[in-house]
Amino acid sequence: MNMASSEQKKGGSDGLTYRDAGVDIEAGNDLVDAIKPLAASTRRSGADGALGGFGGLFDLKAAGYSDPILVAATDGVGTKLRVAIDAGQHDTVGIDLVAMCVNDLIVQGAAPLMFLDYYATGKLSVEVARDVIAGIAEGCRQSDAALIGGETAEMPGMYGEGDYDLAGFSVGAAERHELIDGSKIAEGNLLLGLASNGVHSNGYSLIRKIVEKNSLTWQDPAPFDTDMSLGEALLKPTRIYVKPVLKALRNGGMNGLVHVTGGGFYENLPRVMPEGLGCRVNRNTWPQMPVFKWLQEAGNVAAVEMLRTFNCGLGMVLVVDADAAPELTEILTRAGETVYTIGSVRTLEAGMPAVEIEGIDS
């Protein structure tokens, strides 16, 4: 991790320093020292460099690739950060940050290789930043991605007291012939939904509005899980699907994958469908999680709007050959996933919606 500054000159008794302007280089150095063991815990074949250089290196040949295609993704965690800051819980949003990037890589058949983060704040708190980056390291371990570097920017006047922002960048690879681009999707393919951990990292602007409307605080017991505070319950980290999905991909029969993020089902499912194809989903094929039931009732949110905003209990959808579905379900279940058969692919005719969801109120 590099601090955003490098010149802190000593002046006379009346001379200004960078610290006088609000940038503490020593705090940045302390953070680098604190997170070096975290980064080291994420090392994998192909990434053996030390933290603190001007760039991170990765050796694809050492990672075992012969004809690789690189796949890159970048993302953040949206206003879920506001919840983390206001609730004073900083150790899980780093997992979210990694998950939002690596889950986007895996849907194209790419295994994550490396990850970099960008952490920006007005005044650096080494303790808070270390908690955030500890979460990033945990997400990297879950997805077998090496944390090879990043940037810590202390920018006085740009952020409110205690506020910070995050962005993540991940690069993965797949052998050229193993890329998943949706071109093999055909009518009659089945849709397998993988259960989510909860809200994941989308829809938090609406969530915050619902919490405000109901005069709740993040420290109150969660109405849908009284064993946890509302903040703790809503900060459950995004599930990382990388390792189970990679196991399933090796089996064959998988033609497309969808990471259910912002836009929910209506916006994300069509992104993988070839022209002329759509899908039919039955909402009654998987259970409603308590958190989504509460959000819908407490916010008086229409069912269609729920499915357009949230993952509603399914964080990833796989488009698979019908005859491969039983074996893929077994592989994913053994790997720890909860799998539901939720629908199928169909040919679109004039006037048909790209995504039709049965079993909901209109």
Side-chain angles (χ1 to χ4, degrees), residues 134-329:
I136 292 172
E138 172 59 24
C140 287
R141 289 190 293 271
Q142 288 184 26
S143 56
D144 199 21
L147 178 57
I148 63 170
E151 175 72 3
T152 304
E154 189 171 28
M155 301 189 291
M158 292 292 290
Y159 297 90
E161 184 177 355
D163 286 352
Y164 59 87
D165 200 6
L166 285 175
F169 312 87
S170 190
V171 177
E175 297 291 2
R176 190 180 302 269
H177 66 280
E178 294 177 345
L179 283 171
I180 304 292
D181 60 5
S183 61
K184 295 181 180 179
I185 293 175
E187 184 175 20
N189 281 180
L190 296 181
L191 306 180
L192 302 181
L194 305 186
S196 68
N197 275 356
V199 181
H200 285 183
S201 295
N202 295 101
Y204 276 82
S205 293
L206 177 55
I207 289 172
R208 289 164 52 235
K209 199 75 175 175
I210 292 170
V211 170
E212 179 184 355
K213 176 185 174 183
N214 286 270
S215 302
L216 294 169
T217 72
W218 304 119
Q219 288 71 39
D220 289 333
F224 50 90
D225 186 350
T226 53
D227 290 335
M228 307 178 74
S229 70
L230 184 58
E232 289 170 336
L234 289 173
L235 286 169
K236 285 184 178 179
T238 304
R239 188 169 183 83
I240 292 176
Y241 297 97
V242 170
K243 292 180 181 180
V245 169
L246 279 176
K247 289 180 181 178
L249 279 168
R250 297 186 190 107
N251 184 75
M254 199 179 302
N255 302 323
L257 300 97
V258 179
H259 184 198
V260 186
T261 56
F265 291 80
Y266 290 106
E267 300 298 327
N268 287 295
L269 287 174
R271 293 170 66 180
V272 302
M273 294 292 160
E275 187 174 355
L277 293 179
C279 55
R280 179 183 284 113
V281 174
N282 186 334
R283 179 61 187 87
N284 295 320
T285 53
W286 77 95
Q288 186 177 32
M289 297 178 70
V291 60
F292 294 112
K293 182 179 181 182
W294 177 76
L295 287 169
Q296 185 171 3
E297 294 175 351
N300 192 28
V301 182
V304 169
E305 184 67 16
M306 290 292 295
L307 288 158
R308 195 182 300 278
T309 305
F310 301 111
N311 69 63
C312 291
L314 299 178
M316 190 159 289
V317 175
L318 284 53
V319 187
V320 307
D321 292 334
D323 58 0
E327 189 171 0
L328 288 170
T329 298

Side-chain angles (χ1 to χ4, degrees), residues 27 31 90 119 121-131 154 162:
L31 177 59
H90 310 282
Y119 179 98
T121 187
K123 181 174 178 56
L124 182 62
S125 165
V126 173
E127 181 179 359
V128 170
R130 189 200 176 283
D131 283 349
E154 189 171 28

Side-chain angles (χ1 to χ4, degrees), residues 19-43:
R19 180 175 291 172
D20 293 330
V23 179
D24 190 343
I25 293 176
E26 290 182 4
N29 292 334
D30 290 342
L31 177 59
V32 171
D33 290 338
I35 64 178
K36 278 183 178 178
L38 298 173
S41 73
T42 70
R43 283 180 181 165

Side-chain angles (χ1 to χ4, degrees), residues 45-46 58-66 68:
S45 58
F58 195 95
D59 185 343
L60 284 169
K61 187 175 181 180
Y65 288 90
S66 58

Side-chain angles (χ1 to χ4, degrees), residues 54-75:
F54 286 98
L57 306 178
F58 195 95
D59 185 343
L60 284 169
K61 187 175 181 180
Y65 288 90
S66 58
D67 186 21
I69 296 293
L70 293 178
V71 183
T74 183
D75 214 331

